Amino acid sequence: NAGVMQNPRHLVRRRGQEARLRCSPMKGHSHVYWYRQLPEEGLKFMVYLQKENIIDESGMPKERFSAEFPKEGPSILRIQQVVRGDSAAYFCASSPGGFYYGYTFGSGTRLTVV
Amino acid sequence: KQEVTQIPAALSVPEGENLVLNCSFTDSAIYNLQWFRQDPGKGLTSLLLIQSSQREQTSGRLNASLDKSSGRSTLYIAASQPGDSATYLCAVLPLYNFNKFYFGSGTKLNVKP
């Protein structure tokens, strides 16, 4: 079991470009969570998805950010028209049925906006 | 709204010292509290998980305590080693939402040889 796979590990984008971050959950896990870690800060919840559904997006910025978890394939966190303030580490976690049932974090994607 | 605070933000100690990292949270309605280790550029490694009904958990040289009523947890590291150098994050899982961890900003530990 390869664990939670996030790619790319590092991503550099120029201001105004789009960033796409991918998260492949552990086998058998149908729940995915995205967290963002700004420099020198803790992780902040962004969004919680199940297959084809967004369950809780209360931590997502209102504009430019979107997330999906299709029936097939990885979960995608999409950031349109990136700005310098989007530079952060983005972590994904997966669970078989909510955090109550255990969860695993990925190694993260480090986004740098230049 | 739950807020998690960790003190100190950074700590530098000589090898062999026993040390204590502190975590406080504002809402005592938690399901569990977890301590993570984060190495530079890496993901999170779970160290200890304390259920709300527990007072402490131990793993090797690590001991974590929980005082839910006062909103505090401590992580005790005995006989620190250079390999313990990392950032330590505290996170709480609230009773009202099993799907959203609240993290502190971490304590960055440097153990000098």
Side-chain angles (χ1 to χ4, degrees):
Chain A
N1 195 332
V4 177
M5 303 301 293
Q6 290 190 248
N7 63 79
R9 293 292 301 275
H10 301 274
L11 181 61
V12 179
R13 284 286 178 267
R14 295 187 184 279
R15 281 179 293 172
Q17 290 185 321
E18 178 180 286
R20 280 180 172 251
L21 287 63
R22 293 175 181 75
C23 169
S24 296
M26 287 185 68
K27 187 176 181 180
H29 287 193
S30 58
H31 297 234
V32 165
Y33 313 80
W34 286 93
Y35 283 76
R36 177 167 68 174
Q37 184 178 33
L38 294 169
E40 307 302 322
E41 294 190 13
L43 281 71
K44 297 283 195 298
F45 171 83
M46 298 183 76
V47 62
Y48 163 40
L49 310 103
Q50 294 179 24
K51 285 282 188 182
E52 300 184 279
N53 287 300
I54 296 175
I55 306 303
D56 181 355
E57 57 182 348
S58 58
M60 288 278 271
K62 294 288 186 274
E63 298 177 349
R64 302 186 297 107
F65 285 72
S66 62
E68 62 176 6
F69 189 16
K71 186 176 180 181
E72 301 292 336
S75 175
I76 306 288
L77 179 66
R78 182 182 178 207
I79 311 172
Q80 295 179 290
Q81 299 175 325
V82 296
V83 301
R84 289 254 171 90
D86 297 332
S87 295
Y90 293 81
F91 289 93
C92 165
S94 75
S95 169
F99 273 170
Y100 179 85
Y101 298 99
Y103 43 84
T104 303
F105 277 89
S107 297
T109 292
R110 271 113 190 120
L111 171 66
T112 302
V113 180
V114 298
Chain B
K1 184 190 169 201
Q2 180 71 269
E3 291 187 7
V4 181
T5 303
Q6 290 188 247
I7 294 174
L11 185 61
S12 184
V13 300
E15 182 177 4
E17 275 204 7
N18 301 324
L19 50 99
V20 175
L21 308 183
N22 296 293
C23 171
S24 60
F25 47 96
T26 55
D27 187 343
S28 62
I30 65 170
Y31 181 70
N32 64 39
L33 181 145
Q34 191 156 5
W35 284 92
F36 292 88
R37 169 181 171 142
Q38 185 177 28
D39 292 283
K42 301 289 179 62
L44 305 180
T45 301
S46 176
L47 297 174
L48 290 165
L49 184 149
I50 313 176
Q51 300 293 352
S52 62
S53 58
Q54 297 175 320
R55 298 284 293 186
E56 65 178 332
Q57 283 286 343
T58 298
S59 176
R61 294 182 294 109
L62 305 180
N63 175 276
S65 67
L66 174 64
D67 184 343
K68 197 174 62 169
S69 61
S70 67
R72 295 177 188 274
S73 175
T74 61
L75 178 66
Y76 177 82
I77 303 177
S80 58
Q81 302 170 359
D84 294 330
S85 298
T87 296
Y88 291 81
L89 296 169
C90 164
V92 299
L93 195 62
L95 270 178
Y96 50 84
N97 189 335
F98 281 171
N99 294 295
K100 186 186 293 186
F101 269 121
Y102 289 86
F103 282 83
S105 297
T107 294
K108 189 172 184 178
L109 174 65
N110 178 35
V111 181
K112 297 172 289 188

